[in-house]
Amino acid sequence: MIRATVWCDGSDEARHPEIPQIYPGGIARYTAGYLREDATLDVRVSAFQDAAYGLGDDLLQATDVLVVYSHFFNDKLPQDRLDAVCLRVREEGMGLVLLHSALWMNLTRQLVGPCGYAAYREIGERERVWAVLPDHPIAQGIPASFEFQHSEMYQEPAGFPRPDDVIFLSWYEGGEASRAGVTWTRGKGRIFYFSPGHAMYDVMQSANYHQVVRNGVRWAAREA
Ligand code: ZN
């Protein structure tokens, strides 16, 4: 079994009480729910509001892959928790799956390097994701392209370090295109970033989205 922990900062739910209507139980529990459809994953949920910011040493030791969704609290994790997560990834090979705005998190900055996109746009426009590396394990079972009817645009150039692989590209109704699914390696750890996932839209309800994240977890655990 792959031990996966879904960690969220809870900030979107705190600011937007309607989110549980889109994602029942909130983003963390919703994410854990679709991960559990893969019987090889043993999934737990953790949050910024928990003891040790939901990233205590015991929990990290019992985690093979950490799935992170973060937004308004992107800079709130204290240095000792950042160091603990980075050590688990670099020295001990814990996998990391970063979703959407977690790209701007202090954890991502410390582990991957300075990260971000040039701009973003929240007008609920159409997004089409293209699997440009179809042989990659994270693209298994994913069609050549799939769409979200209402999504947030993230604009290139993405200010992140050169990825090992670019697995997905996104096209947006407004005309932009951006790298949407990329991987890095840091020390012994595998890291997958997937850019869609705006909390106020139903992007994360997509079956293809679920499959991408499940694949990402298995790949980050070196099981794919
Ligand atoms: Zn967003």
Side-chain angles (χ1 to χ4, degrees):
M1 293 283 274
I2 298 168
R3 300 167 299 172
T5 298
V6 180
W7 183 92
C8 287
D9 74 354
S11 64
D12 283 291
E13 287 89 341
R15 197 170 289 201
H16 302 290
E18 65 271 37
I19 284 180
Q21 291 162 25
I22 309 171
Y23 299 111
I27 294 166
R29 287 180 194 286
Y30 181 84
T31 303
Y34 69 72
L35 290 180
R36 288 187 182 114
E37 292 173 19
D38 182 336
T40 70
L41 303 183
D42 177 16
V43 185
R44 71 164 85 178
V45 167
S46 177
F48 178 84
Q49 294 76 10
D50 296 345
Y53 300 91
L55 294 169
D57 291 336
D58 290 349
L59 180 139
L60 291 174
Q61 282 301 323
T63 298
D64 300 315
V65 178
L66 186 65
V67 180
V68 172
Y69 191 99
S70 179
H71 189 192
F72 297 109
F73 295 167
N74 269 341
D75 279 312
K76 300 273 195 234
L77 267 188
Q79 191 60 47
D80 84 301
R81 288 305 85 202
L82 298 179
D83 293 344
V85 174
C86 290
L87 185 143
R88 273 288 289 151
V89 173
R90 287 178 178 277
E91 308 295 330
E92 299 170 5
M94 184 179 76
L96 192 62
V97 174
L98 301 164
L99 300 176
H100 194 55
S101 42
L103 186 69
W104 283 266
M105 198 180 174
N106 57 4
L107 170 66
T108 310
R109 199 158 56 237
Q110 177 164 327
L111 188 59
V112 178
C115 282
Y117 284 89
Y120 60 90
R121 182 171 61 221
E122 290 176 56
I123 58 167
E125 67 199 278
R126 202 151 54 94
E127 174 177 3
R128 181 178 294 170
V129 180
W130 292 89
V132 293
L133 214 53
D135 291 338
H136 194 285
I138 298 177
Q140 294 314 297
I142 304 300
S145 74
F146 60 95
E147 289 194 355
F148 308 119
Q149 289 307 305
H150 303 286
S151 196
E152 177 182 12
M153 189 277 294
Y154 279 176
Q155 184 182 318
E156 293 275 359
F160 48 58
R162 181 185 292 246
D164 295 341
D165 282 317
V166 177
I167 305 163
F168 301 106
L169 287 179
S170 277
W171 164 91
Y172 299 95
E173 196 170 1
E176 291 84 356
S178 65
R179 290 169 287 176
V182 301
T183 64
W184 297 280
T185 307
R186 290 293 180 268
K188 294 181 177 173
R190 286 179 167 185
I191 301 161
F192 172 57
Y193 172 65
F194 194 47
S195 68
H198 189 61
M200 301 300 290
Y201 304 140
D202 62 2
V203 173
M204 290 184 280
Q205 291 181 5
S206 154
N208 287 311
Y209 192 99
H210 299 174
Q211 189 63 45
V212 167
V213 179
R214 284 193 296 261
N215 288 349
V217 169
R218 292 178 54 78
W219 174 84
R222 298 184 180 276
E223 295 285 329

